[in-house]
Amino acid sequence: MKNLFDELSFKISKETTKKYSTSFSLGILALSPTIRNPIYAIYGYVRLADEIVDSFHGFDKAKLLKRFRDETWQALEEKISLNPIIHSFQEIIHQFNIDQNLIDQFLKSMEMDLQKIDYNSDLYKEYILGSAEVVGLMCLQIFVNGDKDQFEKLRPFAMKLGSAFQKVNFLRDMKDDFDILGRCYFPDLDISSFDNQVKLSIEKDIELEFREALEGIRRLPSSSRFGVYLAYRYYLSLFRKIKKSSATNIMCERIRISNGAKISLMMSSYVQYKTTLL
């Protein structure tokens, strides 16, 4: 029966999320049980695309990503895929009537990672739109259960949150992105000139987006509010740790939050959520 394959597909998306991200796994556990599987499906799909462009060295990444794109559109048309992660993803796209243009924008950003790009302001914004902001919008469509009016009201906040998360990732991963993948996403930046002053200007931009995003979190339905707030608090904690590090240190090591600290953060976030967001 197909429902067994559906169940297996969502389970694989869930296990993919748990394997690759303890922070997002904790955030998803804080969501209402009714929307956890849909968010696992979104994350599993996005993670698989990321792996193609970031990790599958020694393979034809362009060929693999094209196959991934083709299988996605085929699954959306036929409403089934033999790839469990793509299958669970297409199920959610149809169930919540998610705009398929968001998928196209996401895949375009993944394609940008296949080539060496000297990022200017426009390309930087385009990459963040596709790699982070549209993913936030897919999740938002699930959070509001397809309510178009609520979606449009919360759209700018979801985009700000996705953008802030991605820029924190850029700072955290600067060393590996440059040393291993030859990438630097920040616009018009010669990596050799990355210093504390440049770092501070990037951080000011991120701080503003975090402040704006928090207002949107307060307006989310109760089924998703704490889970998103927990992810927000995790990234804010990571960002503050990055701020305390020098530019030189950022280029020498990847800043992390330990799993123990993540659990502690989850408990403290719940107390703060109850006192400030309800």
Side-chain angles (χ1 to χ4, degrees):
M1 295 176 66
K2 180 176 171 295
N3 64 323
L4 291 178
F5 182 63
D6 291 343
E7 182 181 341
L8 174 64
S9 296
F10 281 106
K11 184 175 182 179
I12 291 173
S13 293
K14 177 181 178 179
E15 291 302 314
T16 300
T17 305
K18 290 168 63 178
K19 184 69 173 180
Y20 281 100
S21 179
T22 55
S23 54
F24 276 109
S25 295
L26 288 172
I28 293 174
L29 283 176
L31 299 172
S32 168
T34 59
I35 58 175
R36 288 176 193 165
N37 272 348
I39 301 300
Y40 284 133
I42 298 293
Y43 183 88
Y45 178 84
V46 169
R47 183 71 258 168
L48 185 54
D50 272 338
E51 286 304 295
I52 291 172
V53 299
D54 287 353
S55 302
F56 294 171
H57 311 308
F59 297 91
D60 189 335
K61 295 181 181 181
K63 184 177 181 180
L64 290 174
L65 188 61
K66 182 181 184 303
R67 184 186 304 164
F68 183 77
R69 173 188 276 276
D70 291 344
E71 288 180 1
T72 297
W73 296 125
Q74 184 177 8
L76 287 166
E77 180 181 350
E78 298 177 355
K79 299 186 178 181
I80 194 169
S81 174
L82 297 182
N83 179 318
I85 288 179
I86 294 178
H87 179 69
S88 64
F89 179 72
Q90 67 81 26
E91 286 268 340
I92 293 311
I93 297 300
H94 289 301
Q95 180 182 343
F96 291 91
N97 195 28
I98 294 172
D99 185 352
Q100 295 185 18
N101 288 324
L102 300 178
I103 306 169
D104 188 55
Q105 190 70 52
F106 168 73
L107 292 172
K108 285 179 179 177
S109 283
M110 294 300 97
E111 289 169 358
M112 292 173 75
D113 274 336
L114 295 175
Q115 51 193 309
K116 182 173 174 54
I117 296 176
D118 293 324
Y119 280 88
N120 57 30
S121 181
D122 289 340
L123 289 172
Y124 178 63
K125 290 176 182 177
E126 181 182 353
Y127 183 83
I128 290 175
L129 171 64
S131 65
E133 293 177 4
V134 300
V135 178
L137 293 177
M138 291 183 207
C139 294
L140 178 60
Q141 189 77 353
I142 295 168
F143 296 155
V144 301
N145 197 27
D147 186 311
K148 292 183 179 180
D149 289 339
Q150 195 173 15
F151 176 85
E152 289 302 325
K153 289 176 182 176
L154 293 174
R155 172 195 284 270
F157 301 105
M159 294 176 73
K160 289 292 184 183
L161 187 61
S163 177
F165 285 0
Q166 184 65 297
K167 290 172 185 176
V168 172
N169 287 339
F170 289 163
L171 281 174
R172 179 196 63 190
D173 298 336
M174 276 192 76
K175 179 183 183 299
D176 287 348
D177 279 345
F178 184 73
D179 291 348
I180 299 174
L181 301 170
R183 301 176 192 154
C184 179
Y185 294 102
F186 295 110
D188 306 315
L189 174 62
D190 180 348
I191 202 74
S192 64
S193 65
F194 180 67
D195 57 21
N196 288 333
Q197 185 175 352
V198 174
K199 178 173 172 284
L200 181 60
S201 68
I202 293 170
E203 290 167 349
K204 287 181 178 179
D205 176 45
I206 296 172
E207 283 180 328
L208 179 61
E209 290 187 329
F210 268 125
R211 284 200 298 270
E212 293 177 359
L214 183 59
E215 178 57 34
I217 295 173
R218 290 192 172 101
R219 301 183 190 182
L220 284 170
S222 59
S223 58
S224 59
R225 194 183 306 132
F226 177 57
V228 177
Y229 180 65
L230 182 59
Y232 167 89
R233 283 288 310 279
Y234 164 73
Y235 266 92
L236 188 60
S237 177
L238 178 60
F239 176 56
R240 287 171 175 166
K241 192 170 183 179
I242 289 172
K243 284 180 65 179
K244 293 177 181 178
S245 299
S246 67
T248 300
N249 193 48
I250 292 293
M251 293 306 300
C252 291
E253 65 175 328
R254 190 175 191 264
I255 306 300
R256 300 175 183 273
I257 302 292
S258 70
N259 287 340
K262 289 175 185 177
I263 298 296
S264 176
L265 183 65
M266 183 177 187
M267 293 185 290
S268 66
S269 294
Y270 185 72
V271 174
Q272 189 164 0
Y273 166 77
K274 284 291 189 180
T275 57
T276 64
L277 262 72
L278 285 180

